[in-house]
Amino acid sequence: MDSIELNSTYNLRRAVLIGMCTLLGCLSFLLGIINLSIAAKWITLGFIELFYALCSFVLALLAVKKRHQFWQVILYIFTLTAIVIYAVSLSQTINSMICWVLVLPTVYYLLLGKRFANLPVIMLFSAIVTDIIGKYGFTVNPLLVNFVFSYLLIWAVSHIYEKNRADSEAKLQELALQDPLTLSFNRLALTKYFEDIVSKQSLKEFADEVHLLILDIDFFKQVNDEYGHEAGDIVLQESAKIISRIAGDKQTFRIGGEEFCVLIENKNQDEAIALAQLIRTKLAQHTFKLTEQENINITVSIGLGNYRPGMALPNLLRQADQRLYRAKHNGRNQVIYHNAPLAALA
């Protein structure tokens, strides 16, 4: 259920990308002009840097408009790596280029994450070590030792930081999408999950296999009034577990006080109705143990809506909610789909 709105990683990497592309674009342009004017062997590098400056400005503009793609970022990073390696290979000595090399691992992790950053990190490290050995021989020298340990330290710090940042964000996203009492997903998660479903290309062909049901615990206020709110919490928690076992954890959402929602996909109308009926029956049959001496049973009323192409989530919820209201009005403990109650069992 990741989304741009929830994913702070996207915003972080986008901000870094815009700043980096703008800075590197200006710097590459200046270095390109300088390299074209100093010596013949630097002319090729100068033209490459000018072209890279143009690419940097284009990618920065795409990122500002939120139109950039991840593959473009990967290509940009690998091109930068190749340019740095090429520039290092042209130098008689390697001292002046070490600063660029040591900056890049952090950039890799900021823009690519720990899953994709390791490859360019290893590629750059291997190329520079090979170049140092090629220029200074197969001997242990201070430059090689200092570079290896500095690079490995920056690599380790970058990896540890990115791992902990990603873990923290995942935890925050989980908290943002989860109802703290029942541990079911919440209304925000429902919105994101619905957006994921309707964005699928195949949905146009199978739109009649997406349904949404809203269920409300009958006379729940009486449970709270008679047994207390702790008893009500027990009823809500156990109800959520039963619904999740039947419909699935990812499809179950708590959207109100005693209201739950189930988003159904890949099922036709009859299968969706059968699922709603099964949930209603299992909840009616379950005995809720409030204390050692007090047990109660509950019933639920369910309204089931069916998705149509182009339908917004509020409209689908409204449709299901109207049918839920009819189920309540007709006597409760029943499922309403279209215009008639399908079951009303005591």
Side-chain angles (χ1 to χ4, degrees), residues 185-204:
F185 287 117
N186 58 20
R187 185 181 285 266
L188 177 61
L190 171 63
T191 302
K192 304 310 170 189
Y193 191 40
F194 180 81
E195 290 173 354
D196 290 342
I197 291 177
V198 300
S199 65
K200 295 177 181 177
Q201 291 292 329
S202 59
L203 187 63
K204 296 178 181 178

Side-chain angles (χ1 to χ4, degrees), residues 27-295:
L27 190 59
S28 296
F29 180 79
L30 292 175
L31 289 175
I33 297 298
I34 293 172
N35 286 328
L36 287 175
S37 61
I38 58 175
K41 75 171 186 176
W42 298 99
I43 290 179
T44 301
L45 179 61
F47 280 117
I48 292 174
E49 287 171 335
L50 290 178
F51 178 74
Y52 193 74
L54 176 62
C55 294
S56 297
F57 292 135
V58 171
L59 186 56
L61 182 61
L62 290 174
V64 168
K65 296 181 178 181
K66 296 184 179 181
R67 293 171 54 188
H68 65 289
Q69 302 294 321
F70 187 62
W71 68 265
Q72 295 170 331
V73 180
I74 293 177
L75 181 61
Y76 182 77
I77 287 298
F78 275 91
T79 303
L80 174 62
T81 304
I83 291 174
V84 171
I85 293 173
Y86 179 60
V88 169
S89 68
L90 290 178
S91 302
Q92 294 296 327
T93 61
I94 200 169
N95 297 359
S96 61
M97 302 303 301
I98 287 293
C99 295
W100 283 100
V101 175
L102 294 178
V103 166
L104 290 182
T106 302
V107 172
Y108 295 153
Y109 277 94
L110 283 173
L111 291 181
L112 302 180
K114 61 181 176 26
R115 180 181 176 185
F116 295 97
N118 284 325
L119 180 58
V121 167
I122 294 172
M123 183 177 78
L124 180 63
F125 178 77
S126 302
I128 301 305
V129 169
T130 301
D131 193 71
I132 293 175
I133 293 174
K135 288 174 179 174
Y136 296 97
F138 227 153
T139 60
V140 177
N141 61 74
L143 176 61
L144 179 61
V145 172
N146 280 287
F147 170 75
V148 168
F149 281 102
S150 299
Y151 192 94
L152 292 179
L153 177 61
I154 293 171
W155 183 0
V157 170
S158 299
H159 184 86
I160 292 170
Y161 170 80
E162 175 61 21
K163 182 180 184 303
N164 282 277
R165 188 207 59 78
D167 291 344
S168 297
E169 180 177 289
K171 184 62 178 178
L172 288 173
Q173 285 201 25
E174 180 181 336
L175 292 174
L177 296 172
Q178 194 175 63
D179 172 56
L181 176 63
T182 64
L183 302 183
S184 298
F185 287 117
N186 58 20
R187 185 181 285 266
L188 177 61
L190 171 63
T191 302
K192 304 310 170 189
Y193 191 40
F194 180 81
E195 290 173 354
D196 290 342
I197 291 177
V198 300
S199 65
K200 295 177 181 177
Q201 291 292 329
S202 59
L203 187 63
K204 296 178 181 178
E205 187 177 349
F206 301 105
D208 58 343
E209 295 188 359
V210 176
H211 307 270
L212 181 143
L213 67 86
I214 296 179
L215 64 89
D216 184 272
I217 299 174
D218 298 327
F219 303 111
F220 182 73
K221 185 177 183 300
Q222 293 182 11
V223 176
N224 280 331
D225 291 344
E226 184 173 349
Y227 301 100
H229 287 281
E230 288 186 5
D233 290 347
I234 292 173
V235 170
L236 290 172
Q237 290 167 340
E238 292 190 23
S239 296
K241 290 178 182 178
I242 293 171
I243 298 167
S244 297
R245 281 200 297 267
I246 298 171
D249 293 332
K250 293 183 178 180
Q251 287 74 37
T252 303
F253 308 86
R254 185 186 178 201
I255 60 172
E258 66 271 21
E259 279 193 345
F260 291 88
C261 174
V262 174
L263 195 54
I264 304 169
E265 55 178 329
N266 301 322
K267 292 187 182 296
N268 59 35
Q269 176 176 315
D270 292 338
E271 291 171 328
I273 294 170
L275 179 65
Q277 289 285 23
L278 180 61
I279 292 173
R280 185 194 62 78
T281 301
K282 290 296 183 182
L283 285 171
Q285 293 173 346
H286 182 74
T287 298
F288 293 83
K289 186 175 183 179
L290 306 182
T291 65
E292 290 295 335
Q293 294 79 26
E294 293 177 317
N295 298 326

Side-chain angles (χ1 to χ4, degrees), residues 305-324:
N306 55 301
Y307 174 80
R308 290 291 175 264
M311 198 175 198
L313 178 60
N315 295 333
L316 183 58
L317 284 167
R318 189 179 305 112
Q319 181 191 81
D321 196 54
Q322 289 171 349
R323 290 167 183 170
L324 170 64

